[in-house]
Amino acid sequence: MSDTRPPQVLPARKPSQHLERYSEADIPTERGTLRTVVFKDRRNGREHVALVVGDVAGQEGVPTRVHSECLTSEVFGSLKCDCREQLDRALDFVTQAGCGVVLYLRQEGRGIGLGNKIKAYALQAKGLDTYEANRQLGFQDDLRSYDVAAEMLRALDVRSVDLMTNNPLKIAGLVEEGIPVRRRIPSRTEHNPHNVGYLKTKRERTGHLIELFAEEDTEAKVG
């Protein structure tokens, strides 16, 4: 667990009020019972989910994962990214800790949607990296926003979070929306031949805090 403490800044935006707390129930899972709270976005009808373990209301430093939907990985088992593994590890972490929140946001493909994500995969097969493919389709590198995540955390009365992420933009995004990030917990996953390029690109192009891979450590020792 990292003790990295990102700098705090005053929120620059007025807290959003776009969500309706639509429904909730306890769901038994292989990890234990998850309190499942569905929030509906009044702007577009999207339903986002908070998976809650323990009593998080009024708590500081709540272990939290802000996770964007990835149908290809989480349902179909795609090896092109590490999304499913990150989700699994976050759920393991909060259930083992007995306290925490995993926010599941409907922001497939960094916000471009499933169909465009598959178009981007086709371009990647021709040699483009994930960001180049998005740009060729006319999209920015990352269309995700964190106002919804911040509003969900406020609705759950979470005072501050220990954020499970490798993405510094998530830290900045939550702080900007008024959610204090007490520290970062690295989201460690294993790479495979299909996603190693994707992970390296995220680290090199957008500053993701992904640790060195084993083969790079070996090369450094040999060289």
Side-chain angles (χ1 to χ4, degrees), residues 61-82:
V62 175
T64 299
R65 167 79 183 163
V66 177
H67 187 90
S68 294
E69 175 184 31
C70 182
L71 182 75
T72 50
S73 171
E74 295 153 5
V75 177
F76 302 148
S78 169
L79 298 176
K80 285 182 64 62
C81 63
D82 62 342

Side-chain angles (χ1 to χ4, degrees), residues 116-129:
N116 286 316
K117 176 182 177 179
I118 299 303
K119 286 184 178 181
Y121 280 179
L123 292 173
Q124 291 169 38
K126 297 179 181 179
L128 276 63
D129 69 33

Side-chain angles (χ1 to χ4, degrees), residues 120-140:
Y121 280 179
L123 292 173
Q124 291 169 38
K126 297 179 181 179
L128 276 63
D129 69 33
T130 179
Y131 300 107
E132 292 167 344
N134 277 22
R135 291 171 190 168
Q136 185 157 321
L137 291 172
F139 298 108
Q140 299 175 15

Side-chain angles (χ1 to χ4, degrees), residues 166 184 188-191 196 199-200 203-204 208-221:
N166 298 326
R184 181 181 76 89
R188 296 187 176 95
T189 60
E190 300 294 331
H191 64 278
V196 64
L199 296 175
K200 288 182 177 180
R203 187 182 62 183
E204 295 166 3
H208 277 61
L209 304 170
I210 298 173
E211 297 178 1
L212 292 174
F213 302 119
E215 71 271 16
E216 292 173 333
D217 293 339
T218 300
E219 289 172 3
K221 291 175 183 177

